[in-house]
């Protein structure tokens, strides 16, 4: 039987509506509108789309969006100075610097200057450390979305074998930490992993965050497993057009898995919803108000 499709778009819409309600309640009680500053450097077309999508999601949720578009030649010191001003601005509760940053800007140096309390991407070492040690933290948005999608198939993840392919600081590692916190037995696979198909076949929950189109084949999947596909890869389509595919060969995987996320319409929309969720959480923390359990 074909796998159930986990509808990330519908789940994201539902979450965004709840965040908008909670943001409105926060504004009613405190008079403060949560605000997200989005910083884009250069003209990368994909980044421009992401930034527009995030800003629109923020405004749709009744929050304020402060957009800063800087030229590709902007010196690193100028970008860091802008981050400093945003850190000090009480109307800004979240700061998001869109990656990748054009060379020679050092992204790590820039991200490390963001106030950890406003770090809605969760990339600052303070937040990474807090997540790893089980303290409250702002957690990277894509992993947050992935866990929510997995829970749509299995509300209780405890005891499950989870395999995460990819060990980046923005997806693989924080996702593994979240799954550990859910009491999964977690394996992180990467480019040096031996016999990756066999490792994947152990997984009750398989997360692919690799950046290689349709690398994970149907035969790598344990029958009935839940598959969360993080990959976004643009490949040649019909009639000279391009199309998006994930890191999982969807048509094959769907015949074996129990539940699977599509690309597009899976992890992507949940990532955006979690950006505004983190903005709401950062605003609540800044105002000393308990964040709603959404
Ligand atoms: P990175 O390039 O930073 O990391 C890729 C990881 O995949 C690395 O750990 C690498 O291993 C591993 N890898 C590469 N080749 C193989 C292989 N042949 N076998 C096993 N592992 C391999 O990517 P990101 O984590 O930033 O992103 C991963 C994917 O997720 C991309 O397609 C990206 O576009 C997408 N993405 C989607 C988001 C969304 O909102 N849906 C958000 C963020 C990313 P090693 O460490 O050994 O090099």
């Amino acid at each position: 039987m074909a796998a159930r499709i986990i509808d990330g778009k519908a789940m994201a819409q539902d979450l965004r509506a709840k965040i908008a309600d909670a943001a409105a309640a926060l504004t009613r009680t405190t008079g403060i509108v949560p605000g997200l500053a989005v910083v884009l450097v250069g003209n990368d077309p994909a980044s421009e789309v992401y930034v527009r999508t995030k800003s629109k999601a923020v405004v749709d949720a009744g929050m304020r969006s402060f957009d800063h578009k800087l030229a590709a030649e902007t010196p690193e010191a100028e970008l860091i100075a802008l981050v400093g001003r945003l850190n000090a601005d009480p109307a800004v509760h979240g700061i998001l610097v869109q990656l990748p940053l054009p060379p020679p800007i050092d992204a790590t140096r820039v991200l490390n200057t963001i106030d950890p309390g406003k770090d809605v991407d969760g990339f600052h070492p303070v937040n990474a450390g807090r997540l790893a040690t089980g303290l409250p933290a702002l957690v990277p948005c894509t992993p947050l979305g992935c866990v929510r999608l997995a829970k749509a198939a299995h509300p209780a993840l405890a005891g499950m074998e989870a395999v995460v392919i990819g060990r980046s600081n923005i997806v693989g590692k924080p996702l593994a930490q979240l799954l550990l916190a859910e009491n999964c037995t977690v394996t992180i696979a990467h480019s040096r992993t031996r016999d990756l198909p066999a490792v994947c076949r152990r997984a009750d929950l398989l997360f692919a965050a690799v950046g290689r189109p349709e690398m994970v084949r149907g035969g790598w999947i344990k029958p009935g497993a839940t598959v969360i596909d993080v990959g976004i890869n643009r490949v040649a389509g019909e009639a000279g057009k391009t199309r998006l595919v994930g890191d999982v060969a969807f048509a094959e995987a769907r015949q074996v898995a129990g539940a699977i996320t599509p690309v597009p319409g899976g992890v992507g929309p949940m990532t955006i919803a979690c950006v505004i969720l983190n903005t709401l959480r950062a605003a609540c923390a800044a105002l000393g108000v308990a964040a709603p359990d959404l």
Side-chain angles (χ1 to χ4, degrees), residues 53-119:
T53 311
K54 287 170 192 170
S55 299
K56 183 178 178 305
V58 168
V59 172
D60 286 351
M63 303 180 185
R64 292 173 75 188
S65 176
F66 304 93
D67 297 341
H68 296 267
K69 191 168 183 330
L70 307 182
E73 310 73 41
T74 302
E76 186 177 306
E78 203 176 296
L79 177 56
I80 288 176
L82 170 62
V83 171
R85 289 195 298 279
L86 298 172
N87 283 340
D89 185 343
V92 172
H93 302 99
I95 302 170
L96 198 151
V97 177
Q98 181 65 40
L99 301 180
L101 289 167
I105 297 177
D106 181 330
T108 305
R109 256 196 319 251
V110 173
L111 296 179
N112 290 358
T113 63
I114 296 177
D115 177 344
K118 297 190 178 189
D119 170 38

Side-chain angles (χ1 to χ4, degrees), residues 50 142 165-172 189-193 196 208-212 215 229-233 247 267-268 271:
Y50 288 138
T142 299
I165 320 174
R167 56 174 162 178
S168 70
N169 289 334
I170 66 173
V171 187
H190 45 76
S191 66
R192 309 291 180 88
T193 297
L196 183 60
V210 188
R212 292 186 182 259
M215 183 186 84
D229 190 352
V230 183
I232 302 179
N233 308 288
D247 290 341
V267 174
T271 297

Side-chain angles (χ1 to χ4, degrees), residues 124-135 137:
H124 194 286
V126 166
N127 280 315
R130 292 180 71 90
L131 173 63
T133 51
L135 292 170

